[in-house]
Every structure is written in C-alpha cells, then in structure tokens.
Amino acid sequence: DAGSGVLLACLSSARGAVPAHRGYHRKMLRRSSRLAPIARRALPAAVRLPARAVAGSAAGNQQATADSGKFDALDKRRRQLLYRSKQRGWLEMDIMLGGWASARLADLSEDQLTQFAEIIEMENPDLYCWLTGQQDVPDDISNPLLRTLCAELKESYAPKATLRSTGSFEGKVWE
C-alpha cells in the first residue's frame, strides 16, 4: 500500500545508504506494512504522499526556470569571446585581452564583436608585439577594434606618476 512505500522511503533515507544484503528489502516491507497505520498518523501530510505522486508534481521539481528571454541575443557570443580571451595559453595575453574584454565586451556592437573574434583568431606572437607596442599594427590588417585595443592598452601602460631620484648613481655598484 501507499503507506508502506512512504515508510520504506523514510526509513531508507533516514539511515543513509541502504545495505544491499539479501532479504533486507523484504524484511523492511513486512515491518512497514505492520507499522503503516502508525506512520500515517505520525508523519506530516507532505511526507505521507507516495513517491510516485510527488515525482510528477511541480512541488517535486526543483529545477529553476531558464528565463532565457531576459538576456540579450548576443550574450552567448560575448561569454564565448570572454572565455577565449582569458584562455589563450600565454599568461600575458590572458591578462591583457581578458581584462580588456571583461571591461568592454558588454558595450560592443555585433560588428565590433565580429572584429574582436578576428583578433582572438590571430597568432599570439604577432598579437603580443602589437598589443605591447613593440611593433605597429600592419596596414594590411583592417580591424579598427584592434587599433582601438592597442591604443587603450598603451594608455594603460603609461606611467601614472614619475619620481626623480634625489641622488646620483654615478660610480655606485648595486650589491
């Protein structure tokens, strides 16, 4: 009956993992059928429901709703680009591109996201030289976002304050 199923479920969950030896389930069913009237009175109504009745109900469903309509259509692409910009394999590139992407990707248009995807596809050695200012971006690369990115990174590298030394270093040896 339904009460024995509930009591068996309660007993097995209260004891943790159910032992797998022979006859255990039969023994528990015999016990639970004798105790079913007591269990029905002692357990709250929510616990007394048979498991099959709760399984299909909304109360048994703990999964959150997707609410995918509240996100922008380009959010999936932004998340992919952000992940790829932070996982390039070079720590320096991960820091430069990932930091810039996490600060700016939310404001980029679809066209600019395409340009950023092109930047992500470029080779690390060349891109590193351009981003650090060691070399200028070649003229044959027509990606305005790359030039903006290089300019913003160069600006962030500029010293914010300079302090002049009060003493002379001539003839002094560092030990």
Side-chain angles (χ1 to χ4, degrees):
D1 72 343
S4 64
V6 170
L7 185 60
L8 180 61
C10 289
L11 288 173
S12 64
S13 67
R15 294 180 184 200
V18 177
H21 61 79
R22 279 179 140 189
Y24 178 80
H25 295 289
R26 241 177 298 157
K27 181 178 168 185
M28 289 306 297
L29 281 174
R30 269 187 273 127
R31 259 192 213 163
S32 65
S33 62
R34 285 193 319 255
L35 299 173
I38 299 167
R40 282 193 195 110
R41 288 190 304 266
L43 296 175
V47 176
R48 281 187 268 152
L49 291 173
R52 63 184 172 276
V54 176
S57 70
N61 184 2
Q62 297 295 319
Q63 186 175 4
T65 59
D67 291 334
S68 59
K70 69 180 182 182
F71 295 109
D72 186 12
L74 297 174
D75 278 349
K76 178 182 177 185
R77 189 168 181 202
R78 285 186 177 103
R79 287 191 303 269
Q80 290 171 340
L81 290 172
L82 180 62
Y83 177 81
R84 290 187 60 210
S85 66
K86 290 184 174 188
Q87 302 292 325
R88 294 188 58 91
W90 285 22
L91 178 62
E92 296 85 354
M93 295 293 286
D94 296 345
I95 293 170
M96 286 188 293
L97 279 177
W100 188 89
S102 61
R104 305 285 194 297
L105 275 183
D107 301 327
L108 296 182
S109 66
E110 187 173 0
D111 184 44
Q112 290 173 320
L113 289 175
T114 303
Q115 292 174 22
F116 190 72
E118 291 172 6
I119 294 171
I120 295 294
E121 294 297 325
M122 294 179 181
E123 294 294 324
N124 276 342
D126 296 331
L127 192 55
Y128 181 78
C129 288
W130 300 331
L131 294 178
T132 57
Q134 296 174 11
Q135 295 176 1
D136 290 332
V137 178
D139 293 333
D140 60 330
I141 296 179
S142 59
N143 189 326
L145 188 63
L146 176 61
R147 297 181 196 296
T148 303
L149 173 61
C150 290
E152 288 183 12
L153 287 176
K154 184 178 181 182
E155 185 179 303
S156 69
Y157 299 146
K160 304 296 186 243
T162 57
L163 298 174
R164 299 205 180 268
S165 176
T166 57
S168 167
F169 291 106
E170 294 177 22
K172 295 182 181 174
V173 179
W174 292 95
E175 296 178 10

